[in-house]
Amino acid sequence: MSGSLINLIYLIAGILFILGIKGLTKPKTAVRGNFLSALGMLIAVVVTLFTINDVDFTYVLAGVGVGGIVGVVMALRIQMTSMPQMVALLNGFGGGASLSIALAEYVTRTGINPTSVSDFFQPTAVAASAFGEGAEATIALMSISLTVLIGAVTLTGSLVAFSKLQELMKKSYGLPGGPVGNGILLLGALAAVAFLVMNPGNTMAMVAILGLALLLGLFLVMPIGGADMPVVIALLNSYSGIAAALAGFILGNTVLIIAGSLVGTSGLILTRIMCVAMNRSLANVLFGKMAAGGETIDADEIYDGKVTSAQPDEVAMLLETAQRVVIVPGYGMAMAQAQHAVRELADAMESKGVEVEYGIHPVAGRMPGHMNVLLAEAEVPYDKLVEMERINPTFEDTDVVIVIGANDVTNPMARDVEGSPIYGMPILNVDKAKTVVVIKRSLSPGFAGLPNPLFAMDHTLMVYGDGKKAVIEMTTALNQL
């Protein structure tokens, strides 16, 4: 197969990647976008395999078989509510794959033939042309070492994100000095990169890059709270793309550079969008929790004697007479796995002539688009999912808003209380509706640690309990009216 034909096929694969990402920007075209991206990758992989000399297809087929089985089992067994964990884990796999490519290329080019772990700590005589000549050698060594660095950070950072989302890691840990400690790790890793470029045969430098990067990935993500996971997952996704693009430079593979660049840049754009949605800088997400500010806010003073509770059957009577209802899902809906129950409640309301829409905040849940994914699983029509910018102006004309666990993203303090930790964060203005129904287990604060004045407003009704159970009871009562 000629080089021109290979590049043409790679170009087609790249176009499919771009069309796939474009399709993923809208719920209606997301399935088609996913298919186009997968088709592009299949074409790229097949062409690459048949253009490499001395490929033992026994190992290739074994890898495809094992990977395919694992992938199918994960796809069938992982619930949609656990999709954030799945995405975090897959990001880690991507970083680990790029890391493995870089290490294998380094070992191959240096001719290292270790018989024990101690052999990695011994300087190795490297042929002058092992990495090329002049600038070519520098670029090759930079690509290898930076792929190891970014791939290792992605691997351990993603595993920590997975552990936090899966609630395997319930405490936050960090280095002494926080950002300072992480900065020292990063500077140490970059110094090792520079040393390796100047001394290609010094395997100690490669070991240092690997070890420091693995630690950096751990300590970057371990202190970060669960509510910031949408931003972290988007950033780790970008890291995995950047590592893949660098791996493409190492292998001289055009399509891997294209795919990695697309993932890396789209991940960075998404990270920026998520930070804007939270009105926080990326540095604030990575190096600390929501900044403390203003005076301490007493929850008892806000709630004492002002909170009105209601039963599901009382809410059902409100819904029967409503003309327009907006449902605002949050992480509480995901935890209760209430998405199907919510769809059934919406169906019951629509059968009585009620207009129903869903208000979606961009950072609700634990990953970008988390609420969209859950509601899509429950077959909620895409046109019913309305973004924050479009739904906010309609709340004043809404009879009832049903909030399911979305705490900080509906907290009026973000809009009204200057100096509060979340002041300036865009929220869903649910308090503008005629009646607000909040389904929540208790009055406990959200990630920001703030009480929510919404709960104590005169037109707010609190329904305490499990989200799924409460919604089912509302649907039952509504159907009986």
Side-chain angles (χ1 to χ4, degrees):
M1 191 179 295
S2 68
S4 298
L5 180 57
I6 292 171
N7 287 330
L8 176 60
I9 296 174
Y10 279 166
L11 177 61
I12 293 171
I15 292 172
L16 288 173
F17 294 153
I18 294 170
L19 293 174
I21 291 177
K22 179 176 174 58
L24 291 171
T25 59
K26 295 180 180 179
K28 285 186 177 181
T29 57
V31 174
R32 183 180 66 194
N34 193 44
F35 173 77
L36 291 175
S37 297
L39 178 61
M41 185 56 69
L42 175 63
I43 292 172
V45 169
V46 171
V47 171
T48 300
L49 287 175
F50 283 100
T51 55
I52 299 176
N53 297 323
D54 302 322
V55 175
D56 189 340
F57 282 94
T58 303
Y59 293 106
V60 173
L61 293 175
V64 170
V66 173
I69 292 171
V70 172
V72 169
V73 171
M74 290 176 69
L76 293 176
R77 297 191 62 179
I78 298 295
Q79 299 295 319
M80 295 301 287
T81 48
S82 300
M83 198 52 63
Q85 296 93 303
M86 179 79 159
V87 172
L89 196 59
L90 293 178
N91 283 341
F93 289 165
S98 299
L99 165 66
S100 300
I101 290 172
L103 288 176
E105 191 72 8
Y106 179 75
V107 170
T108 301
R109 294 199 187 193
T110 54
I112 298 173
N113 186 22
T115 57
S116 65
V117 175
S118 62
D119 290 344
F120 283 103
F121 296 89
Q122 303 299 324
T124 302
V126 178
S129 60
F131 294 94
E133 301 292 342
E136 180 186 350
T138 302
I139 292 172
L141 283 164
M142 286 287 291
S143 297
I144 289 172
S145 54
L146 289 177
T147 302
V148 171
L149 172 58
I150 299 173
V153 169
T154 305
L155 175 62
T156 52
S158 297
L159 291 177
V160 171
F162 167 81
S163 300
K164 280 179 168 287
L165 292 167
Q166 193 65 21
E167 297 186 351
L168 300 176
M169 182 184 294
K170 297 185 177 180
K171 292 185 178 181
S172 295
Y173 305 91
L175 288 173
V180 176
N182 290 332
I184 292 172
L185 284 178
L186 178 59
L187 290 174
L190 291 175
V193 168
F195 189 79
L196 184 68
V197 171
M198 293 184 289
N199 302 273
N202 195 303
T203 51
M204 267 296 294
M206 178 57 76
V207 172
I209 296 169
L210 178 61
L212 291 171
L214 290 172
L215 289 174
L216 180 60
L218 289 174
F219 291 113
L220 267 178
V221 182
M222 279 199 294
I224 298 174
D228 283 326
M229 280 302 135
V231 180
V232 174
I233 289 176
L235 186 62
L236 290 171
N237 184 51
S238 178
Y239 286 171
S240 68
I242 294 170
L246 288 170
F249 280 105
I250 295 171
L251 299 176
N253 188 283
T254 306
V255 77
L256 188 54
I257 296 172
I258 293 172
S261 299
L262 287 171
V263 173
T265 52
S266 60
L268 286 174
I269 292 170
L270 181 58
T271 302
R272 172 62 181 166
I273 291 172
M274 303 300 285
C275 286
V276 170
M278 299 172 71
N279 194 36
R280 299 176 66 196
S281 67
L282 180 58
N284 182 255
V285 172
L286 291 177
F287 301 133
K289 297 183 179 180
M290 290 187 175
E295 300 179 358
T296 302
I297 301 171
D298 187 359
D300 291 336
E301 182 179 342
I302 291 177
Y303 296 145
D304 190 26
K306 302 173 185 177
V307 178
T308 304
S309 62
Q311 297 301 315
D313 55 344
E314 296 174 304
V315 175
M317 288 188 284
L318 280 174
L319 299 178
E320 186 191 29
T321 58
Q323 293 183 339
R324 173 179 165 80
V325 174
V326 174
I327 299 172
V328 175
Y331 191 57
M333 185 186 78
M335 287 296 292
Q337 299 187 30
Q339 61 270 27
H340 292 281
V342 168
R343 166 65 193 270
E344 291 170 3
L345 175 60
D347 289 344
M349 287 189 285
E350 289 176 337
S351 69
K352 295 181 178 293
V354 181
E355 177 191 357
V356 181
E357 287 187 324
Y358 298 78
I360 308 297
H361 193 284
V363 297
R366 290 296 182 268
M367 74 173 184
H370 194 184
M371 297 300 104
N372 302 68
V373 171
L374 292 178
L375 294 171
E377 183 202 18
E379 299 183 352
V380 173
Y382 296 132
D383 58 355
K384 298 287 185 182
L385 308 181
V386 186
E387 297 174 353
M388 177 176 62
E389 291 77 9
R390 292 197 296 119
I391 199 74
N392 267 345
T394 70
F395 281 121
E396 292 183 1
D397 299 320
T398 300
D399 297 303
V400 181
V401 171
I402 302 175
V403 179
I404 311 175
N407 196 330
D408 292 332
V409 298
T410 61
N411 193 330
M413 281 188 179
R415 187 186 63 232
D416 304 331
V417 183
E418 187 172 354
S420 75
I422 61 173
Y423 180 71
M425 184 180 85
I427 63 167
L428 291 162
N429 297 324
V430 299
D431 57 314
K432 304 293 185 181
K434 296 172 184 176
T435 302
V436 181
V437 176
V438 179
I439 301 174
K440 206 170 180 293
R441 291 183 180 275
S442 67
L443 294 174
S444 59
F447 171 71
L450 294 172
N452 192 339
L454 173 70
F455 303 162
M457 290 184 175
D458 293 337
H459 64 306
T460 298
L461 300 174
M462 298 294 300
V463 178
Y464 297 110
D466 176 76
K468 183 177 181 179
K469 182 175 181 291
V471 171
I472 290 174
E473 289 177 356
M474 288 180 191
T475 304
T476 301
L478 182 61
N479 287 331
Q480 292 175 349
L481 293 175

